[in-house]
Amino acid sequence: DPDRRTEVVLLACGSFNPITNMHLRLFELAKDYFHETGKYKVIKGIISPVGDAYKKKGLISASHRVTMAKLATKSSDWVEVDDWESSQSEWLETLKVLRYHHQKLLSLGATNNLEDGVPLTKLGRKRKREPIIKKNQSPDINSVPQIKLLCGSDMLESFGIPSLWKLEDITEIVEKHGLVCISRAGNNVQKFIYESDVLWRHKNNIHLVEEWITNDISSTKIRRALCRGQSIRYLVPDVVRAYIEKNNLYSPESEDRNAGVVLAPLQRYASDSKN
């Protein structure tokens, strides 16, 4: 019965500096994978660009990155952009973004209007309370969509970089929500999971999707081409390319933004360990 399938919302966090065709492909690959299992139904994809307080080198302003992502997803009937994360004044851990969207789904589930196609972004910014479940009435586990973090193998492997992630955050992400990791055929993500105790313990909640039509576009390479005056056509959606040109977004100067500044998570966790 197809209606017994678990509903899934895919959340991708990152810089999207700029968004590329590869970012959009991740959503399509993940959706195909889930539908082929016969157990899941992907109902929505969310792109959540990181805020400026992340302080990554070469990170241009969130307003431009959000606008480009919105232009890129205009033609999609299921992937949308959410600017809640990028509008925060301080950098937010990925787990907090997952929790926020999970909470939002719970409050929507309480009013049960997801199927009416009310775009999530139109709801007020205030966080609604979780629906109160009486002791004797257990919620239908399939009624609230699962929210899963969609990423590439580089993000999964960044779990191994000291002070970039908190172990308890990684644990909660894989334990309570789940990961969908798109990796190149032959990439050693399995080995990385095997070598991590926390990932291995929750490996059933980590979905590995092999990308057979490989796509090596990265935002870094796009910016490099732009700085050299080279074409990026067919690597990013045409509307994004036009927007970049019109606003003259990437240059050797923009690449120097935040040069020498320590990345927000490294700042936060390094000071945590000193305390």
Side-chain angles (χ1 to χ4, degrees):
D1 174 12
D3 288 354
R4 295 309 298 154
R5 290 180 301 174
T6 305
E7 292 188 336
V8 170
V9 173
L10 300 169
L11 172 70
C13 295
S15 301
F16 301 100
N17 185 37
I19 191 165
T20 70
N21 287 346
M22 178 206 64
H23 292 128
L24 302 166
R25 281 294 299 156
L26 294 181
F27 282 93
E28 298 294 324
L29 287 160
K31 188 182 188 187
D32 282 348
Y33 161 85
F34 276 122
H35 289 181
E36 280 161 21
T37 66
K39 296 179 201 156
Y40 298 95
K41 176 186 179 190
V42 176
I43 56 166
K44 187 186 284 287
I46 302 170
I47 289 174
S48 179
V50 78
D52 294 335
Y54 187 52
K55 297 289 183 213
K56 191 175 182 180
K57 187 177 181 300
L59 191 65
I60 66 162
S61 87
S63 62
H64 282 312
R65 291 181 290 110
V66 166
T67 304
M68 288 188 284
K70 284 182 174 169
L71 288 168
T73 51
K74 222 184 177 104
S75 60
S76 172
D77 56 359
W78 67 284
V79 181
E80 60 180 45
V81 180
D82 190 283
D83 64 359
W84 178 78
E85 176 187 0
S86 64
S87 61
Q88 305 301 306
S89 56
E90 55 179 271
W91 169 71
L92 284 184
E93 290 92 339
T94 300
L95 175 59
K96 287 188 179 151
V97 184
L98 259 173
R99 280 182 188 156
Y100 166 81
H101 286 288
H102 178 67
Q103 204 53 46
K104 205 155 152 182
L105 286 168
L106 283 175
S107 56
L108 269 175
T111 50
N112 216 351
N113 59 0
L114 243 190
E115 286 300 292
D116 305 343
V118 178
L120 289 183
T121 38
K122 295 287 183 287
L123 290 167
R125 281 285 158 86
K126 286 199 184 67
R127 229 178 255 205
K128 298 200 174 60
R129 286 224 184 100
E130 275 195 49
I132 294 154
I133 292 150
K134 297 191 180 71
K135 283 226 161 50
N136 56 0
Q137 127 197 31
S138 67
D140 173 9
I141 205 71
N142 281 357
S143 63
V144 176
Q146 292 181 3
I147 183 145
K148 297 193 180 297
L149 188 62
L150 174 63
C151 65
S153 50
D154 52 343
M155 182 174 176
L156 184 76
E157 287 171 5
S158 79
F159 286 172
I161 299 171
S163 296
L164 195 60
W165 296 82
K166 282 198 301 221
L167 184 62
E168 55 266 40
D169 280 18
I170 296 173
T171 308
E172 188 172 327
I173 289 170
V174 290
E175 189 174 22
K176 293 223 170 84
H177 302 287
L179 273 177
V180 192
C181 178
I182 313 286
S183 72
R184 313 250 147 79
N187 186 311
N188 249 340
V189 182
Q190 265 121 333
K191 181 172 184 280
F192 183 80
I193 292 171
Y194 168 75
E195 287 172 358
S196 154
D197 289 337
V198 64
L199 296 181
W200 183 258
R201 197 177 317 129
H202 300 289
K203 65 179 187 294
N204 293 343
N205 225 357
I206 301 174
H207 301 268
L208 294 182
V209 183
E210 292 222 72
E211 178 183 21
W212 293 103
I213 305 176
T214 54
N215 176 343
D216 205 20
I217 307 168
S218 72
S219 298
T220 309
K221 291 174 182 174
I222 298 286
R223 295 197 306 276
R224 185 178 297 144
L226 287 165
C227 286
R228 294 175 182 175
Q230 294 165 340
S231 165
I232 56 163
R233 193 163 198 184
Y234 311 119
L235 300 175
V236 302
D238 269 339
V239 279
V240 171
R241 186 177 59 101
Y243 183 87
I244 290 172
E245 278 175 15
K246 181 173 148 236
N247 295 282
N248 198 12
L249 290 187
Y250 294 101
S251 63
E253 291 73 51
S254 71
E255 278 302 280
D256 277 339
R257 270 183 85 161
N258 298 323
V261 180
V262 178
L263 212 55
L266 299 178
Q267 271 183 45
R268 189 173 297 176
Y269 301 146
S271 63
D272 281 358
S273 59
K274 284 194 196 87
N275 296 343

